[in-house]
Every structure is written in structure tokens, then in C-alpha cells.
């Protein structure tokens, strides 16, 4: 008889792996006092920094910058206006600062960036936007890691998603990133179908036309799916409280708190970026989440210690 | 060998049934030029008047009226204010008029009703709201049909949902009614799990508390899922265009148009309420949809002609 195949081969034999396996056995073993019915086994995952890289900037920001630079290339009047100026001159400092400031609660530059984001793809159909995102994700290279963006997913997390699914869990992405940006690759990359991608959204509108009609993007924000919006958005889409949540930043804190309720087992994972050799080393934007993790006994996943392999190099 | 069991026993042998069976065979038969991949077989259903009764008033309105009457019972100052006055004095004319006027494009009374709706359940958790809806739906009687509300689902439509699911379709409810009102009974009544219920929503908020936090209802409207909001909401949740849509009113028209696109087979069903003996007889609010149905060659489902049985009396 063959030995049972290890479902988590990229995880080292440490505390994080043990917490995951113990939790899954606790909620899935018949006769366990903490058994959770299959339909209640909902797991939610942040994406940027939790399932794939977010440094030196979120992948969607790179997508956006290229679009903004292309707009400034065609229209010189945009070259002296933010965020087009930063995109055109490759001033990544200004752009990265917007995200870091947001993590610290300072959203003063966010409207400037948001206005550019909204205008960058205004008026196109959701299908056209998705085709552009898909094409970018399949062709662009990560600026520092020497691999394509589709090879920037964390192999241990992909294994975790598969392990959970094999144990009757239903996995959702609950990301601050754009829902419609992630959908074209979520099934292929994570085994999560498009209807289970929750994320930030742009306002959409129905436009009748001679063929019936189409859904187009409006130049208006809809929902920034971060912080307290995450549990609201998860409830709205799923209609259940998760029993497992994984994140990596302060913006994931309400989602982590939402997973689990008195009298029911729950697992909360916080990915810690502490591996400058294989990935990145930063805690900016995760300080409060880390404090909570310690205080609540949640599980820290250290990239350096808990992951034997970070990326899947057969998929580069 | 046993004869094949008829999957649609409550449908008469007419044009509507033939259109349904022909369409399902067209998109599911291997080698058919119109074969549609399993994950693309998305079907969307309006609820009020399409899957269950909506006369003499939508079922959720009865739920709301009882709550408003109870509020006026405890607070006499509410008895001279709409909509509490109508609820307390059982002035169903005023209330039914709001809905009929909405179908005709006149929303002048809607804010008055909406304000009452929003205040009726403000501040309670989503779990508490759902428990109240569940309790009401399992106990209240339809005012005219002599049956409980859970027995007001149309048996032929429940059979259709099962037939589609058996053929690899994924069914969603896309209703103008409240999402969180339908969720507690959607699986039991229709075989549609809660995460596939799309509908109108009240604004929700995350409130941290000592146990972690909770999602509560705010006294603010969020989305009225009717008319052009339906295709937007379906895209947002599903990420695909449906290939089958069923409705019964003008508010379903954009959803019916959204289902189907050039070069791909689609089925559009419009339930026609023409049976005063077994259900109700009305076209108010469906006039434009009926015109479109004729012009586009969509399929009318006549309750009188196409349904051998309307309700499941083993489930009363």
C-alpha cells in the first residue's frame, strides 16, 4: 500500500502546520465534539500578501500604472498630474507611499490615486476589463523576483486551499484588491471559481444596446473591500460566518475577528513576511494585526520558518 | 427497466414545456453545436411572482406590516404616520398601491415605505433578522390561498430548478425582494443555497464587540435589486452572463436581456399570471415585459395553460 500523500509538502514541520492540521481534523472528524457541518466550513483568504506577493507594490497597481503611463503617453497634459505623473516618470515612491499610508490610516492621497484608477478603465465593458487583466497577468514579469506574476502565488497557500477543499471546505477570496481583476485567474491559480471571489469593486451600470445590453464600468468607486468592509462583504456574499480566515495586514483584522464565534472552533492565520532571501521582509501595515494575533492566540505563519518552499517553480 | 421518470410532471404538454426541454437538450448534449460548458450554465430566477406568489402583496411586505403594526401597537405616535398608519389600520390599498405604482415607474410613495422598512429592523444583527424572517415564513398563512407561505412556491418552477440542476446548471435567485429575508428558506424550498441568493439589501455595518464583532443592519438603503440593478448585481456575484433567466414583471426586463448574448443559445421565461381559479389574474407591472416577450420570441409560461398543478399540496 502506498504511504498517504502529504497534502502540505511545502510546509515545514512546525507550529503553523500543526495548528492547521489539528484544526481541520477537529472540525471534520466524525464524532468530534467540534465537528462542523460541511456547508458551514467556509474559509476566507485575503489575496495580496496572503496568497500572492504584494511587494514592491500590489500586482494590480502595476497593471494600473502601465495603463496610466499609456494614457500619459497619448495625452501630454496628463504628465504633470498625479497619478499619471508618477506612472509616466516611474515615481514608485509616491505610489508605494499611498498604500503604506493607507495601512497606517492616512488616506489623504487615496482620492488622487482613486480618481486615476476610476478614469483608467471608465466606460469599458466588464468583459473587456477582464480580458485586459487576464492578458497582463499572463504576460507581465514581477519587477524583483524574476518570475511571471502567475508564478507569484505562494505554493504553501495553494496547498492549503487544496487541503481544505479536500476536507469539505468552501474557499473564498476576500481581498482588498479588485474583484474583477482577480477573477480571470482565480480558478487556475487557486482552484477558486470566479463566483467565490470577493473584492473591491468599481460602480457598474447596465447599458441597453441593440444586442440586448451590457454591463460597463463607471468612473465611480463602489466598495473598497478592506477593514470593516470585509466582514460585511463576506456576509453579503456568503451568508455565513467563516470558520477559517487568513490575512497579513491590519485591513484583515475585522475579517479575522469575524471568523469564529463563541462556542465554535475557528482558525485565524496571519502570514508574516520575514524572509528577505526568498520573498520580502516587512511588517509595515501589519502592526495591529500582529498585536492581536499574539493577544488572541491566533496562528502566525512565518514565511522564513514555516514554508519549506515559497514559490512553485514548475509554474514559472 | 423502469421508464424514465418525468422531471417536469406538473407541466402540461405545451409550448413552454417543449421550449424548456429543447433548450436544455440543446446546451447539454455532447456534440450539439450549441453545447455550453457546465460552469457556464448559469440560470437566474426572480422570486416574487416567478417562484412564489406575490399577490395580494409580496410576502415580505406582510412580514414588514406585522412588524410595523407591532411598533405602532407599542408607540401610539406612530399610528398617524405612514407606513405605520396603513399597517396598523390594515389599509392594504395604500400599501399595494406603492408596489403597483413602482412597477409603473412612479416611485413617489416608495421613500415613505422605505423609511419604515429601514427603521423596522435597524440595529439588529443579521442573524437576528434572519431568525425573525425564518420564524415568520414557517408560521404565517397566506391571506387568500388558505395555505402557509412555505406552500406558496410554484411546484412547476421547483421541478424546473431540479431539472436544471440535474443537467449541470447552477441556479441563482435574483430577486427584487430582500436577500436576507429569502436566505433562511431558499435551500429547503428551492434547493438553492444561501450563497446563491441575490436580492435587495439593507446597508450593513461591522460592530466590534467583546466576542470579536457582529454584522448589524443600518437604517439605510443599500441596493434595490430591480430593473437595471439586476444584471449589475448578477455580474457582481456570479461573474458570468446567465444563459437562462425567468421573471414575471417589467423589473425583470434587463435581467432577461442580460441572459444570452450573440452567438450563444439562451432561454428567457416570463410567467404570466392568468389563472384566477388556482392563483391570480393580473398583468399590472408586466406590460412592457410582455411586449418584449412577443417581439423577441421569448417564452411565456401561462399558469392556466402550462401548469397542470400550481402548488405542492403535500407540503402545505
Amino acid at each position: 500500500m502506498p504511504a498517504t500523500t502529504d497534502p502540505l509538502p511545502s510546509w515545514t514541520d512546525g507550529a503553523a502546520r500543526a495548528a492547521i492540521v489539528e484544526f481541520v481534523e477537529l472540525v471534520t472528524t466524525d464524532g468530534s465534539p467540534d465537528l462542523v457541518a460541511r456547508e458551514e466550513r467556509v474559509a476566507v483568504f485575503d489575496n495580496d500578501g496572503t496568497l500572492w506577493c504584494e511587494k514592491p507594490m500590489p500586482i494590480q497597481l502595476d497593471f494600473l500604472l502601465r495603463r496610466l503611463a499609456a494614457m500619459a503617453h497619448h495625452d501630454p497634459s496628463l504628465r504633470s498630474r498625479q497619478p499619471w505623473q508618477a506612472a509616466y516618470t516611474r515615481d514608485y515612491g509616491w505610489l508605494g507611499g499611498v498604500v503604506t499610508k493607507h495601512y497606517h490610516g492616512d488616506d489623504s492621497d487615496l482620492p488622487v490615486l482613486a480618481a486615476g484608477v476610476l478614469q483608467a478603465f471608465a466606460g469599458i465593458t466588464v468583459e473587456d476589463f477582464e480580458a485586459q487583466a487576464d492578458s497582463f497577468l499572463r504576460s507581465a514579469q514581477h519587477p524583483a523576483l524574476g518570475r511571471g506574476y502567475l508564478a507569484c502565488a505562494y505554493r504553501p497557500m495553494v496547498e492549503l486551499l487544496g487541503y481544505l477543499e479536500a476536507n469539505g471546505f468552501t474557499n473564498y477570496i476576500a481581498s482588498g484588491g479588485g474583484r474583477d481583476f482577480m477573477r480571470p485567474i482565480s480558478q487556475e491559480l487557486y482552484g477558486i471559481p470566479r463566483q467565490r471571489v470577493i473584492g473591491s469593486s468599481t460602480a457598474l451600470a447596465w447599458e441597453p444596446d441593440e444586442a440586448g445590453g451590457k454591463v460597463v464600468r463607471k468612473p465611480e468607486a463602489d466598495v473598497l473591500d478592506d477593514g470593516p468592509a470585509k466582514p460585511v462583504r463576506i456576509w453579503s456574499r456568503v451568508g455565513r460566518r467563516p470558520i477559517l480566515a487568513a490575512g497579513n495586514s491590519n485591513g484583515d483584522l475585522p475579517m479575522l475577528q469575524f471568523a469564529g464565534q463563541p462556542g465554535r472552533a475557528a482558525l485565524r492565520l496571519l502570514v508574516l513576511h520575514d524572509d528577505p532571501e526568498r520573498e520580502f521582509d516587512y511588517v509595515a501595515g501589519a502592526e495591529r494585526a500582529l498585536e492581536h494575533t499574539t493577544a488572541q492566540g491566533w496562528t502566525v505563519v512565518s514565511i522564513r520558518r514555516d514554508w519549506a518552499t515559497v514559490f512553485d517553480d514548475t509554474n514559472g
Side-chain angles (χ1 to χ4, degrees), chain A residues 51-52 59 133-142 147-154 158 182 184-186 188-190 311-312 315-316:
Chain A
L51 295 180
W52 72 7
I59 296 174
D134 185 63
S135 167
F136 165 79
L137 286 166
R138 289 177 196 283
S139 63
Q141 291 285 307
H142 188 283
R147 56 181 64 244
Y149 276 136
L150 283 200
C152 287
Y154 303 129
V158 172
M182 297 175 281
I185 50 82
S186 65
E188 181 177 333
L189 217 52
Y190 305 129
F311 299 109
D312 183 355
N315 190 30

Side-chain angles (χ1 to χ4, degrees), chain A residues 40-307:
Chain A
E40 295 278 351
R41 294 178 201 161
V42 171
V44 292
F45 291 82
D46 173 57
N47 190 35
D48 295 312
T50 300
L51 295 180
W52 72 7
C53 294
E54 64 175 351
K55 293 292 176 185
M57 62 185 155
I59 296 174
Q60 191 173 2
L61 188 53
D62 188 12
F63 172 62
L64 176 71
L65 291 185
R66 295 182 194 218
R67 168 76 184 143
L68 294 174
M71 291 170 81
H73 180 77
H74 287 100
D75 179 357
S77 74
L78 295 172
R79 295 174 196 170
S80 54
R81 286 173 58 196
Q82 294 292 23
W84 291 273
Q85 179 182 335
Y88 190 70
T89 61
R90 304 188 184 190
D91 178 5
Y92 297 144
W94 183 84
L95 292 152
V98 177
V99 175
T100 304
K101 283 160 81 176
H102 167 69
Y103 277 145
H104 286 98
D106 173 3
D107 282 348
S108 54
D109 285 336
L110 207 59
V112 178
L113 180 59
V117 175
L118 295 171
Q119 287 178 53
F121 299 99
I124 69 171
T125 66
V126 287
E127 288 90 351
D128 285 347
F129 176 82
E130 186 167 311
Q132 290 188 37
D134 185 63
S135 167
F136 165 79
L137 286 166
R138 289 177 196 283
S139 63
Q141 291 285 307
H142 188 283
L145 292 172
R147 56 181 64 244
Y149 276 136
L150 283 200
C152 287
Y154 303 129
R155 182 163 142 177
M157 296 304 281
V158 172
E159 290 171 3
L160 174 58
L161 293 168
Y163 174 56
L164 292 171
E165 186 166 305
N167 281 281
F169 281 73
T170 305
N171 299 319
Y172 288 81
I173 293 175
S175 171
R179 176 194 66 210
D180 296 351
F181 179 73
M182 297 175 281
R183 273 181 167 168
I185 50 82
S186 65
Q187 177 70 52
E188 181 177 333
L189 217 52
Y190 305 129
I192 295 179
R194 53 181 50 238
Q195 66 271 17
R196 285 197 248 126
V197 177
I198 310 169
S200 297
S201 54
T202 299
L204 303 174
W206 172 247
E207 275 188 7
D209 63 20
E210 62 289 345
K214 59 198 175 197
V215 176
V216 300
R217 293 170 69 92
K218 293 166 73 177
E220 294 168 23
D222 184 24
V223 176
L224 178 64
D225 191 17
D226 197 36
K230 285 203 178 194
V232 166
R233 200 93 157 147
I234 292 166
W235 172 268
S236 299
R237 290 281 292 279
V238 183
R240 299 184 191 278
R241 263 187 198 246
I243 62 170
L244 188 160
N248 78 302
S249 78
N250 299 337
D252 297 317
L253 203 37
M255 173 178 82
L256 292 161
Q257 290 170 310
F258 185 48
Q261 58 195 50
R264 200 171 69 167
L267 182 67
R268 272 67 78 90
L269 303 174
L270 195 84
V271 175
L272 179 66
H273 296 270
D274 58 358
D275 192 332
E277 298 294 320
R278 299 183 299 171
E279 205 243 2
F280 299 97
D281 185 4
Y282 61 99
V283 292
E287 302 86 344
R288 284 193 299 117
L290 280 164
E291 281 166 26
H292 259 81
T293 299
T294 307
Q296 307 281 334
W298 297 347
T299 300
V300 170
V301 175
S302 155
I303 293 183
R304 184 163 48 81
R305 293 191 317 271
D306 291 313
W307 290 356

